[in-house]
Amino acid sequence: MTPRVLTTTEEVREALAGPGRVGLVPTMGYLHDGHAALIRQARAACDVVVVSVFVNPRQFGVNEDLGRYPRDLDRDLAVAGAAGADLLFHPEVTTMYPDGYATTVTVSGVSGPPEGHARPGHFDGVSTVVLKLLNIVQPERAYFGEKDWQQLAVVRRMVRDLNVPVRVVGVPTVRAASGLALSSRNSYLTPEQQERAVVLSRALWAVQEAAAAGERDTARLVQAGLEVLARDPEVRPDYLTVVDSDMRERERVENDPMTRVLVAARMFGVRLIDNVPLWAEERWTGGEDA
Ligand code: AMP
C-alpha cells in the first residue's frame, strides 16, 4: 500500500490520534534497501509505521551537497510502501524551521571526532532535527542505521540525557553484493565507480583481519586499513579510526563488542562513510583479496 503523505505537524497529530504503538524511521529520502530494512523492522514491532523524508539543511556544511542531494518522492513512496510504512511525513523546510526559529540541540563529547570534527556543526543539525521529529511523531520506537555509527551514538546520548521517552533501535548496515554499504549518495557514482568504492569496505575488512590475527595496537590496525586505501589513487581518506563506544581512539584495542572501525573518504568528488565492528563473528570474505 502507498503510504499517506503528511506535510504538517497537525496532520501528523491527527493521523496518530488513535491507539497503537508508533514506530518512526527518520530519513533524508531517496530510499534504498538500507532504509527498507529499518522500515521492515519497524513494521514487525509497531502498529503504525511513520517514515519521515526531510533533507535537513541544518546538517549540511556550506560547501556540502545540500543543493544536489537526490530527491524522488514517488520512489520514496514506492519503497516505503513496499517495506510496510503507513505514513510518510514530508515537511517543508519552513514547517520545520519557521521564521524566528532559534533553538539548537548540542550533544557534547560523542558528537566530536571523527565525523563531527570532519563536519563541524553536522551533529547539531542531526540532533536538533531528530529531537523535533521525535516530538512531532512521539513514537514508542525510532529506528536508525548502524551505517551512520556515530549518529546512532549521538542520538542515543541525546535520548538518554534529555529523557526522551523513546526506544532507539539500531539496525545493521545493508550492503550491495560487492560489500559496498548502500547509501543515497552512491547515486552520485557510476556503477564502475561504485565497484571502485568497495575499497572502503576492503580497508575495513583488513583492519578486522589484522585484529583477528592478534594485532592490538590501534596505530598498526589503522595502518593496515590505510594501506588498502592507498592502493587506489582516487581515494582521498578523511579518516580511518578504531573507536570505543564513546568514539574515543585508545592506544590499544579492547576485546569489547562495541569497538568499531570507522572510515570516511572522498572518491570521485563524493564523500563516503562506512564502519564495521572490529570483532566480527563473520567477516566479509566476498570480493577481491584485501
Ligand atoms: P539517510 O537518509 O541517509 O539520512 O538515512 C536514514 C537512516 O537510514 C539513517 O538512520 C541511516 O543510518 C539509515 N541507513 C542509511 N543507509 C543504510 C544502510 N545501508 N543500512 C542500514 N541503514 C542505513
Side-chain angles (χ1 to χ4, degrees), residues 2-18:
T2 304
R4 208 174 117 207
V5 179
L6 312 169
T7 56
T8 66
T9 56
E10 292 76 17
E11 282 171 350
V12 173
R13 207 139 295 156
E14 275 168 32
L16 297 175

Side-chain angles (χ1 to χ4, degrees), residues 25-35 37-38 54 59 69 143-149 151 171-175 180-185:
V25 181
T27 81
M28 296 208 300
Y30 214 70
L31 302 183
H32 50 65
D33 280 351
H35 299 111
L38 273 63
F54 180 61
Q59 68 189 70
Y69 198 83
Y143 295 80
F144 296 86
E146 290 183 352
K147 160 76 168 43
D148 299 278
W149 184 254
Q151 168 174 285
V171 179
T173 302
V174 177
R175 297 175 181 281
L180 180 67
L182 298 190
S183 165
S184 306
R185 289 190 168 97

Side-chain angles (χ1 to χ4, degrees), residues 126 140 174 248:
V126 170
E140 205 168 308
V174 177
R248 279 181 306 214

